[in-house]
């Protein structure tokens, strides 16, 4: 004869049967206290450490707050030298002043006046003014090594001795250097040989940055070597390699670099396609990488708002990226993404790893207050 679950437990009814029953019921229903679920997404503290807000409207921040995100807004020198730096940092400061519990900033400097005799003094004065306003760090961009030249026509490289005083000052002020140096390795391949669709789209639309079309430019290996030369000269400088440190193509190679430079971490901004691609090839290797280097990986997207999209379009883009990535890290679901052509499975990382990647590592690597 069939008996119910409670009657099969040979314990006194008072004080034991009901707790044990619910314990077993929870196990039967698949409750997993060591892992998050999709339902946990809005309530778990999270941080996107690499976004670009170039507007004073609050739509990006409001969406972040409703989804449980804090934001690090990042300035950079793009194509207009110091004007880019001033404008982008100013927008970030407006957002931080309006939303101090949600937004913090990373500033930048320009090399457009590299040969000016007072360039170092100008940079240090500017950085100090930003630090005094609360900036947590400084971004250097791929124009160094790939675009910007001195007056003699030579590319400015990140291991140039002229940067040493700047990087020493950043370290002395207790701030972090964020570096987008080099590009994905796909950048040196023809479009049809690239491993991710997002890279094909980007370099198809931005041939000026497609190094395969410019064989006279430095190789990926040279740019990484120069970055590593710089880190070797400044071992005490806290460094966050943007976009997986441009070693997104191979978690093993990235792991070796992290082993070599203990003061280096990386963010994941705009490189989830490469993570998905490697996961489709060898999920366990990627999962083991995230667990082993759980203290050195920071969640980021490179999402942006310049005021041109509607609220619906902006929030849809944020939702698509943030919820896709949350599902990838917390579940073992079979997934697909337009970033790659192959299906892949979520990593189902433990809570403690997810908490570090999505929040705690940002606190540490950028010296933030909780």
């Amino acid at each position: 004869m069939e008996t119910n679950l409670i009657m099969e437990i040979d314990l006194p009814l008072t004080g034991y049967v009901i707790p044990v029953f619910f314990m077993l019921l929870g196990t039967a229903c698949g409750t997993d206290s060591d892992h998050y679920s999709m339902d946990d997404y809005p309530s778990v503290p999270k941080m996107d450490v690499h976004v670009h807000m170039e507007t004073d409207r609050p739509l990006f921040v409001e969406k972040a707050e409703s989804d449980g995100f804090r934001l690090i807004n990042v300035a950079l020198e793009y194509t207009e030298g110091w004007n880019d730096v001033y404008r982008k940092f100013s927008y970030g400061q407006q957002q931080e002043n309006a939303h101090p519990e949600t937004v913090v900033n990373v500033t930048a400097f320009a090399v457009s006046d590299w040969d000016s005799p007072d360039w170092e003094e100008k940079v240090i004065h500017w950085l100090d003014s930003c630090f005094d306003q609360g900036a947590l760090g400084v971004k250097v961009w791929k124009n160094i090594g790939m675009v910007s030249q001195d007056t003699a026509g030579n590319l400015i490289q990140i291991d140039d001795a002229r940067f040493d005083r700047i990087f020493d000052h950043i370290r002395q002020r207790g701030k972090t250097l964020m570096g987008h140096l080099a590009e994905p390795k796909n950048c040196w391949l023809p479009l049809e040989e690239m491993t991710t669709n997002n890279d094909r789209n980007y370099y198809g639309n931005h041939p000026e940055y497609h190094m395969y079309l410019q064989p006279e430019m430095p190789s990926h290996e040279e740019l990484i070597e120069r970055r590593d030369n710089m880190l070797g000269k400044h071992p005490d400088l806290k460094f966050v390699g943007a976009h997986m440190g441009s070693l997104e193509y191979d978690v093993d190679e990235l792991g070796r670099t992290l082993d070599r430079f203990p003061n280096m971490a990386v963010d994941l901004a705009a490189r989830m396609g490469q993570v998905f691609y490697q996961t489709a090839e060898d999920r366990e290797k990627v999962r083991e990488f995230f667990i082993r280097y759980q203290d050195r990986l920071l969640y980021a997207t490179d999402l942006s708002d310049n005021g041109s999209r509607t609220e619906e379009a902006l929030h849809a883009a944020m939702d698509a990226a943030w919820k896709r990535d949350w599902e990838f890290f917390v579940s073992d679901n079979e997934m697909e993404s337009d970033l790659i052509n192959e299906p892949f499975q979520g990593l189902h990382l433990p809570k403690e790893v997810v908490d570090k990647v999505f929040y705690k590592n940002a606190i540490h690597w950028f010296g933030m207050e909780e």
Side-chain angles (χ1 to χ4, degrees):
M1 184 177 72
E2 198 173 286
T3 57
N4 64 46
L5 184 60
I6 295 179
M7 292 301 295
E8 291 181 335
I9 301 172
D10 187 18
L11 292 172
L13 203 58
T14 304
Y16 290 96
V17 171
I18 293 176
V20 173
F21 169 71
F22 281 107
M23 179 182 69
L24 294 177
L25 182 61
T27 302
C29 292
T31 300
D32 184 351
S33 61
D34 295 328
H35 295 82
Y36 289 121
S37 70
M38 289 303 295
D39 291 339
D40 294 312
Y41 169 79
S43 61
V44 175
K46 299 177 292 296
M47 187 112 48
D48 189 332
V49 307
H50 191 149
V51 303
H52 302 282
M53 292 182 287
E54 298 182 45
T55 176
D56 57 4
R57 68 179 186 174
L59 299 180
F60 197 106
V61 180
E62 289 172 352
K63 173 63 173 170
E65 290 175 340
S66 70
D67 283 21
F69 273 94
R70 294 175 70 185
L71 305 168
I72 298 182
N73 186 72
V74 180
L76 56 89
E77 177 188 17
Y78 186 48
T79 60
E80 298 181 11
W82 283 101
N83 288 335
D84 283 325
V85 173
Y86 296 150
R87 183 180 68 255
K88 293 173 188 292
F89 184 71
S90 175
Y91 276 124
Q93 283 301 106
Q94 291 178 55
Q95 294 286 358
E96 182 174 353
N97 291 337
H99 310 277
E101 300 301 315
T102 305
V103 180
V104 288
N105 279 281
V106 165
T107 188
F109 59 84
V111 296
S112 53
D113 54 343
W114 173 259
D115 287 310
S116 172
D118 63 348
W119 177 78
E120 290 99 331
E121 292 296 335
K122 180 179 181 179
V123 170
I124 289 174
H125 177 76
W126 164 250
L127 295 183
D128 279 340
S129 72
C130 297
F131 297 154
D132 291 345
Q133 296 177 74
L136 301 178
V138 182
K139 167 90 175 274
V140 287
W141 195 56
K142 66 185 180 183
N143 61 306
I144 298 172
M146 297 181 65
V147 178
S148 298
Q149 301 177 356
D150 62 20
T151 53
N154 301 308
L155 285 168
I156 299 169
Q157 298 290 357
I158 197 66
D159 58 352
D160 192 292
R162 202 151 188 228
F163 284 115
D164 289 346
R165 183 181 171 198
I166 308 300
F167 297 154
D168 283 340
H169 187 74
I170 294 170
R171 176 188 57 78
Q172 289 164 5
R173 287 296 306 262
K175 305 299 181 178
T176 300
L177 179 66
M178 173 186 278
H180 176 176
L181 302 168
E183 282 283 79
K185 204 164 189 181
N186 280 335
C187 180
W188 283 264
L189 297 174
L191 293 176
E192 62 273 14
E193 293 182 20
M194 293 183 181
T195 56
T196 67
N197 296 326
N198 53 304
D199 282 344
R200 290 188 197 95
N201 293 336
Y202 179 81
Y203 294 112
N205 292 324
H206 295 278
E208 70 273 22
Y209 295 123
H210 189 185
M211 293 297 101
Y212 175 77
L213 303 177
Q214 304 176 57
E216 75 282 1
M217 295 292 283
S219 66
H220 180 269
E221 291 75 16
E222 178 183 344
L223 293 174
I224 294 300
E225 181 180 5
R226 288 183 177 276
R227 190 275 311 280
D228 291 351
N229 289 342
M230 180 273 290
L231 293 178
K233 289 194 291 181
H234 303 276
D236 297 325
L237 176 66
K238 198 178 287 186
F239 179 74
V240 172
H243 312 295
M244 297 183 73
S246 294
L247 298 172
E248 73 300 316
Y249 65 96
D250 184 357
V251 294
D252 289 335
E253 182 62 29
L254 177 53
R256 286 189 287 270
T257 299
L258 293 174
D259 290 342
R260 181 181 172 193
F261 299 111
N263 266 334
M264 176 181 178
V266 298
D267 78 30
L268 305 174
R271 298 298 180 264
M272 290 304 295
Q274 283 85 353
V275 175
F276 296 160
Y277 181 81
Q278 292 179 75
T279 302
E281 290 192 324
D282 190 340
R283 175 181 179 268
E284 286 311 305
K285 182 173 78 169
V286 175
R287 188 173 189 275
E288 289 170 7
F289 168 80
F290 273 88
I291 292 173
R292 178 176 178 182
Y293 295 98
Q294 60 187 271
D295 298 315
R296 316 283 289 280
L297 309 171
L298 287 71
Y299 181 69
T301 60
D302 215 7
L303 286 165
S304 64
D305 180 23
N306 63 6
S308 63
R309 284 183 285 185
T310 65
E311 178 178 356
E312 292 75 17
L314 174 66
H315 288 181
M318 297 168 72
D319 246 352
W322 283 346
K323 290 183 178 178
R324 175 203 64 199
D325 297 345
W326 180 260
E327 180 181 4
F328 173 70
F329 286 118
V330 307
S331 82
D332 57 2
N333 293 348
E334 294 294 332
M335 299 179 63
E336 293 183 352
S337 168
D338 59 4
L339 299 178
I340 65 171
N341 297 326
E342 302 82 14
F344 54 95
Q345 184 181 6
L347 297 185
H348 196 48
L349 295 173
K351 279 183 178 179
E352 63 182 36
V353 178
V354 173
D355 286 338
K356 288 179 180 180
V357 172
F358 272 87
Y359 193 80
K360 292 180 180 179
N361 290 346
I363 299 295
H364 169 72
W365 285 94
F366 285 99
M368 300 174 65
E369 296 181 2
E370 293 194 73

